Amino acid sequence: MTNPEAQQQARQSMSDAEPQAESHDRSQEETQAAERLERAVRAAEQALIEFEIAVETFRVEVENFSRLHHQRLGPMYSRLDELDALIAEALAARTGDPEDLRKAREARGLVQPMPGVEELFHGWMDSEGLSPEAAAMLTERPVQPPPRVRPSEEARRIYRELARKAHPDLAEEEAERERRGAFIVRVNAAYAAGDEEALRALAEEWEAGPPPPERRASRSEELYARLEWLAERKEMLAAVAAELESSAIGAMIKMAPEDPDALLDEIAEQLLAQASEKEARLAELAR
């Protein structure tokens, strides 16, 4: 027969083991949930970095194209405004009609006002005197086109690699985030200037520097807060991207993403044709 005392001990052992098993199961479930949450955070971080790279790349493209657009086409637009004012003034002088006189005043008012001294000489004169472009203008020699500042494919590759390695969003410690932030500022400046050599030097500097700190395990609450911050950051970047894409320059780049310079050539031809028509009209009025 079975010993009653042995039966009691067995039941007690089973009773004691049940809470331990339940505790172990809960601990294992919590660990698995934390691991899933951490994987979600890592995926969101990488997605945000890729999005930031895309937005910064497009921002630099818009900035560079805007500069080229202003340098190349700005004088043409100013010439068209001046021709419109001259035509309106010539017509008003011929007819003497009050309505023509009013239109002439309006056309002249649309012409860009005379800039101040600093604006007038910005980029044209420095401590060495007139720039080559300004001298060419004054001597009626051909003006050299503005330098191409769009980053090369190699510069883009190095920039993306550095951004992925050194991005501040990969750091949790404030000191490390600040170190990375200062470094990325230098990387962005070199990329905006299209300076491939500077980007190579920065890549070597990063490789020679201290390795990124070990990422320690985070509590679930911290991981949730991290996900919220990443979501807010993405919303902000999405707003920046939307503003860039909706701008006039952004829309122009989207029309010819592979070769935006060709679009500048096309617009320049159209403006030259318009200027020729207006000059012919002005010549007729001057007869």
Side-chain angles (χ1 to χ4, degrees):
M1 295 186 58
T2 305
N3 187 331
E5 185 176 349
Q7 290 180 342
Q8 179 65 27
Q9 291 178 350
R11 284 195 295 270
Q12 183 64 39
S13 297
M14 292 177 62
S15 177
D16 292 342
E18 287 176 359
Q20 294 178 3
E22 291 177 0
S23 176
H24 175 74
D25 291 342
R26 284 198 302 270
S27 176
Q28 189 173 19
E29 289 176 359
E30 290 174 357
T31 300
Q32 292 174 350
E35 289 175 352
R36 288 194 298 271
L37 188 55
E38 183 137 0
R39 286 195 296 270
V41 169
R42 302 297 171 262
E45 286 176 341
Q46 292 303 317
L48 180 64
I49 289 173
E50 295 299 325
F51 189 41
E52 287 200 34
I53 289 173
V55 172
E56 178 64 14
T57 298
F58 189 60
R59 186 196 67 77
V60 169
E61 194 77 6
V62 168
E63 182 179 300
N64 289 333
F65 190 78
S66 177
R67 185 183 300 111
L68 291 172
H69 181 274
H70 176 73
Q71 290 174 329
R72 183 169 182 184
L73 302 184
M76 294 185 181
Y77 286 120
S78 297
R79 177 58 178 164
L80 288 174
D81 289 341
E82 178 65 23
L83 286 171
D84 284 338
L86 290 173
I87 290 171
E89 289 167 348
L91 183 62
R94 172 175 288 190
T95 65
D97 184 87
E99 181 63 16
D100 289 338
L101 291 170
R102 183 189 65 78
K103 291 180 179 180
R105 288 193 298 271
E106 288 183 354
R108 177 54 61 187
L110 293 175
V111 176
Q112 185 175 358
M114 181 66 70
V117 174
E118 292 183 1
E119 293 175 311
L120 184 65
F121 291 107
H122 179 68
W124 295 90
M125 178 177 287
D126 54 23
S127 59
E128 302 297 325
L130 288 174
S131 69
E133 290 80 6
M137 275 284 217
L138 293 176
T139 57
E140 297 185 352
R141 293 196 304 270
V143 179
Q144 294 295 322
R148 182 184 178 90
V149 293
R150 190 170 296 113
S152 66
E153 286 300 320
E154 180 64 8
R156 294 185 186 199
R157 184 193 67 78
I158 299 173
Y159 165 73
R160 291 190 181 104
E161 187 172 290
L162 281 172
R164 293 187 182 107
K165 288 181 178 179
H167 202 282
D169 289 350
L170 292 176
E172 289 185 356
E173 298 293 337
E174 186 61 30
E176 176 64 7
R177 186 178 293 112
E178 291 179 359
R179 183 181 80 87
R180 287 169 174 260
F183 182 81
I184 287 296
V185 167
R186 295 164 61 201
V187 170
N188 288 341
Y191 178 66
D195 193 339
E196 187 175 320
E197 290 302 317
L199 286 170
R200 290 184 187 279
L202 287 167
E204 293 176 0
E205 178 182 330
W206 179 259
E207 292 300 326
E214 291 289 332
R215 294 181 65 87
R216 68 176 184 270
S218 301
R219 296 193 306 271
S220 296
E221 293 81 5
E222 292 175 331
L223 291 172
Y224 276 119
R226 179 71 169 163
L227 282 175
E228 291 178 358
W229 182 89
L230 290 168
E232 292 174 359
R233 177 74 174 169
K234 186 175 181 180
E235 288 182 5
M236 184 274 290
L237 287 171
V240 172
E243 183 177 354
L244 287 170
E245 291 177 353
S246 64
S247 66
I249 296 298
M252 292 174 67
I253 292 176
K254 290 175 66 177
M255 291 173 59
E258 299 300 326
D259 188 11
D261 289 344
L263 184 60
L264 282 181
D265 294 337
E266 181 179 341
I267 296 174
E269 290 179 3
Q270 295 173 359
L271 294 179
L272 286 173
Q274 293 177 28
S276 297
E277 293 176 0
K278 293 180 185 296
E279 287 170 350
R281 171 62 174 157
L282 182 61
E284 290 177 3
L285 292 171
R287 292 175 184 171

